[in-house]
């Protein structure tokens, strides 16, 4: 047995260590020369490490998530071509394989690892001079060079460790800068998991529901003053108030006058079921996609308990601990993007519900008050309704009722 040790190479740009993010081989696997062994991530890019030799994998230098220093053992391979244990750890020169652009899971560009240090120089060698070994360049540079018909082995890179850059290609071909070049790359991303479920539910909702949207402008200056006052004086252990608990309270009060909005429509059997309990779905953006945890019996929550429960549900959704019961069974939904809420949105109804309340961002706008303009904190409510069972007139009255409550916050808590 002859053991060949492959060490984590110097990927240039001052990087001293890298994290293992993907393994393509395991102990006992047969590998061929130039086969990808692993992918490592630095703070600059994700780099694929190919094998400089053929043989059988004996050991790996760490599992996914392990951080290795440059020069640390990455893979040990039992070779069958006489390469001994004393062979150099750096990767030997190889023939140039076809460029293979491949984006990483994080979106960072993937480049090949360098096999040996090259002399840093900005000038290309004479046209008849061909360098041996694999030139150091990113996949995008290799793709562009191939499109331009440039052999990278005829260039010397000006980047760290002799890396060939786009500037080197531009200097050679006098091409326009990167921002002005034609782009033709494509990337196919298959929808899986939660993203696929969301796609199906959204398509089903828009296909079966006759949506219409209604937008109303709300002056929340007084509400924001109250929210600031309460946050400044809140007791220890109480959550900081966002605007959502006030929205929930206004929604609960408005539904007392418009119970048809707090309903589910079974369009297979033409049955609308109105609910006395307000089980409010609170749309939350999570790393896995949009989720809608449910605030059960919103009508019985005070301001502070509502704030605490919304925060708990949002955290559970984001960290993946929300239960199936906490993610189903809502009767009406509130959706908000917070500071990213835009001016107007057209939210999609969470079927089989018949209404969704969309909250847009708060912005200071000039408001005419008889003789002059005054700055006021304004917020739009962009809401959608199922026109099969909700008339536009009633939807407008419903939103106007919520507007009245938010603009006079004391009224929300007076019976």
């Amino acid at each position: 047995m002859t053991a060949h040790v492959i060490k984590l190479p110097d990927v240039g740009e001052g990087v001293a260590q890298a994290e293992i993010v993907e393994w393509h081989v395991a102990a006992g696997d047969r590998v061929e020369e130039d086969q990808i062994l692993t992918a490592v991530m630095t703070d600059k890019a994700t780099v694929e490490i190919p094998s400089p030799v053929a043989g059988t994998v004996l050991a790996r230098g760490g599992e996914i998530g392990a951080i290795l220093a440059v020069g640390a053992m990455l893979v040990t391979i039992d070779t069958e071509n006489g390469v001994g244990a004393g062979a150099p750890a750096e990767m030997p020169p190889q023939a140039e394989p076809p460029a293979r652009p491949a984006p990483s899971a994080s979106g960072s560009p993937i480049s090949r690892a360098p096999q040996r240090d090259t002399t840093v120089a900005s000038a290309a060698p004479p046209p008849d001079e061909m360098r041996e070994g694999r030139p150091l360049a990113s996949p995008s540079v290799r793709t562009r060079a191939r499109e331009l018909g440039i052999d990278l082995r005829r260039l010397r890179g000006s980047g760290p460790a002799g890396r060939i850059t786009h500037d080197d290609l531009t200097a050679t071909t006098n091409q326009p800068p990167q921002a002005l070049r034609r782009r033709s790359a494509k990337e196919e991303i298959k929808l899986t998991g939660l993203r696929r479920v969301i796609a199906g539910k959204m398509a089903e909702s828009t296909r079966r529901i006759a949506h219409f949207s209604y937008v109303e402008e709300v002056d929340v200056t007084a509400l924001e003053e109250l929210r600031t006052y309460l946050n400044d004086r809140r007791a220890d252990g109480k959550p900081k108030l966002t605007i959502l608990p006030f929205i929930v309270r206004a929604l609960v009060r408005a539904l007392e006058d418009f119970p048809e909005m707090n309903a589910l429509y079974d369009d297979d059997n033409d049955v609308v079921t109105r609910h006395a309990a307000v089980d409010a779905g609170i749309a939350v953006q999570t790393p896995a996609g949009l989720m809608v945890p449910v605030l059960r019996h919103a009508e019985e929550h005070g301001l502070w308990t509502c704030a605490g429960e919304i925060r708990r549900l949002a955290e559970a959704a984001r960290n993946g601990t929300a239960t199936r019961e906490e993610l189903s069974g809502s009767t009406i939904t509130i959706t908000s993007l917070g500071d990213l809420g835009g001016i107007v949105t057209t939210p999609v109804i969470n079927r089989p519900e018949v209404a969704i309340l969309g909250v847009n961002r708060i912005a200071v706008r000039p408001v005419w008050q008889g003789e002059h303009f005054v700055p006021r904190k304004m917020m739009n409510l962009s809401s959608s309704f199922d026109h099969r069972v909700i008339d536009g007139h009633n939807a407008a009255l419903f939103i106007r009722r919520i507007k009245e409550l938010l603009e006079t916050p004391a009224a929300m808590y007076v019976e």
Side-chain angles (χ1 to χ4, degrees), residues 260-376:
E260 68 270 25
M261 305 298 172
N262 191 44
L264 305 180
Y265 179 32
D266 178 359
D267 51 6
D268 290 324
N269 298 297
D270 293 326
V271 175
V272 175
T273 303
R274 295 182 180 180
H275 291 255
V278 181
D279 292 332
I282 308 294
V284 176
Q285 188 64 41
T286 76
L290 185 67
M291 293 186 180
V292 187
V294 181
L295 177 66
R296 301 288 180 190
H297 289 285
E299 72 277 3
E300 68 179 8
H301 281 286
L303 190 62
W304 297 104
T305 61
C306 181
E309 185 65 0
I310 289 175
R311 186 175 68 174
R312 184 192 71 79
L313 289 168
E315 290 176 352
R318 292 191 181 101
N319 62 31
T321 61
T323 65
R324 180 180 296 273
E325 290 72 23
E326 290 173 330
L327 295 173
S328 61
S330 56
T331 56
I332 190 168
T333 294
I334 299 172
T335 180
S336 171
L337 290 175
D339 292 339
L340 300 177
I343 299 174
V344 174
T345 52
T346 53
V348 177
I349 297 169
N350 188 18
R351 182 176 177 270
E353 298 168 22
V354 299
I356 183 169
L357 186 66
V359 181
N360 297 114
R361 72 169 181 263
I362 297 173
V364 177
R365 304 173 195 160
V367 177
W368 181 254
Q369 290 192 345
E371 298 180 351
H372 54 275
F373 285 99
V374 296
R376 304 291 289 179

Side-chain angles (χ1 to χ4, degrees), residues 144-414:
R144 183 184 168 206
R146 185 171 62 250
E147 292 173 349
L148 296 174
I150 297 175
D151 190 333
L152 293 179
R153 291 175 295 175
R154 294 187 179 277
L155 299 182
R156 292 194 181 277
S158 60
R163 181 186 298 272
I164 299 172
T165 67
H166 281 288
D167 289 339
D168 296 324
L169 294 182
T170 299
T172 302
T173 62
N174 197 27
Q175 290 292 307
Q178 176 74 22
L180 302 179
R181 285 200 300 272
R182 179 180 296 180
R183 299 171 184 172
S184 58
K186 297 180 181 179
E187 181 182 6
E188 293 185 356
I189 301 174
K190 186 175 179 60
L191 294 185
T192 59
L194 180 60
R195 186 74 264 169
R196 182 172 56 193
V197 172
I198 293 173
K201 291 187 66 175
M202 293 299 99
E204 184 73 2
S205 180
T206 54
R207 181 168 54 248
R208 300 187 67 161
I209 295 178
H211 282 73
F212 78 93
S213 295
Y214 181 85
V215 181
E216 181 61 272
E217 189 177 49
V218 181
D219 186 339
V220 294
T221 306
L223 179 59
E224 283 295 274
E225 290 173 353
L226 174 61
R227 187 171 71 87
T228 299
Y229 176 88
L230 293 173
N231 277 331
D232 289 343
R233 291 161 178 78
R234 73 184 189 277
D236 292 341
K238 286 189 175 181
K240 187 175 181 179
L241 294 174
T242 66
I243 198 172
L244 276 179
F246 298 95
I247 298 286
V248 170
R249 183 60 183 173
L251 176 65
V252 167
R253 293 301 303 270
L255 288 174
E256 294 172 1
D257 300 322
F258 298 89
E260 68 270 25
M261 305 298 172
N262 191 44
L264 305 180
Y265 179 32
D266 178 359
D267 51 6
D268 290 324
N269 298 297
D270 293 326
V271 175
V272 175
T273 303
R274 295 182 180 180
H275 291 255
V278 181
D279 292 332
I282 308 294
V284 176
Q285 188 64 41
T286 76
L290 185 67
M291 293 186 180
V292 187
V294 181
L295 177 66
R296 301 288 180 190
H297 289 285
E299 72 277 3
E300 68 179 8
H301 281 286
L303 190 62
W304 297 104
T305 61
C306 181
E309 185 65 0
I310 289 175
R311 186 175 68 174
R312 184 192 71 79
L313 289 168
E315 290 176 352
R318 292 191 181 101
N319 62 31
T321 61
T323 65
R324 180 180 296 273
E325 290 72 23
E326 290 173 330
L327 295 173
S328 61
S330 56
T331 56
I332 190 168
T333 294
I334 299 172
T335 180
S336 171
L337 290 175
D339 292 339
L340 300 177
I343 299 174
V344 174
T345 52
T346 53
V348 177
I349 297 169
N350 188 18
R351 182 176 177 270
E353 298 168 22
V354 299
I356 183 169
L357 186 66
V359 181
N360 297 114
R361 72 169 181 263
I362 297 173
V364 177
R365 304 173 195 160
V367 177
W368 181 254
Q369 290 192 345
E371 298 180 351
H372 54 275
F373 285 99
V374 296
R376 304 291 289 179
K377 291 183 177 180
M378 307 298 293
M379 178 188 73
N380 288 349
L381 293 177
S382 300
S383 304
S384 296
F385 302 88
D386 189 338
H387 216 333
R388 297 174 299 174
V389 294
I390 302 295
D391 292 331
H393 181 264
N394 289 343
L397 291 177
F398 172 60
I399 297 301
R400 288 298 297 268
R401 177 58 177 152
I402 294 177
K403 169 186 170 73
E404 292 171 0
L405 291 165
L406 293 176
E407 291 185 340
T408 313
M412 293 189 286
Y413 302 97
V414 176

Side-chain angles (χ1 to χ4, degrees), residues 101-116:
S104 69
S106 64
S108 302
I110 294 182
S111 60
R112 294 286 192 179
Q115 285 116 22
R116 56 168 49 188

Side-chain angles (χ1 to χ4, degrees), residues 116-131:
R116 56 168 49 188
D117 289 346
T118 55
T119 303
V120 177
S122 59
D128 58 346
E129 181 180 336
M130 184 77 72
R131 285 193 306 156

Side-chain angles (χ1 to χ4, degrees), residues 58-80:
L58 296 177
R60 305 189 305 193
E63 296 305 314
I64 293 176
I67 297 178
L68 303 181
V70 169
M73 190 277 283
L74 191 62
V75 183
T76 301
I77 294 178
D78 178 18
T79 63
E80 300 172 354

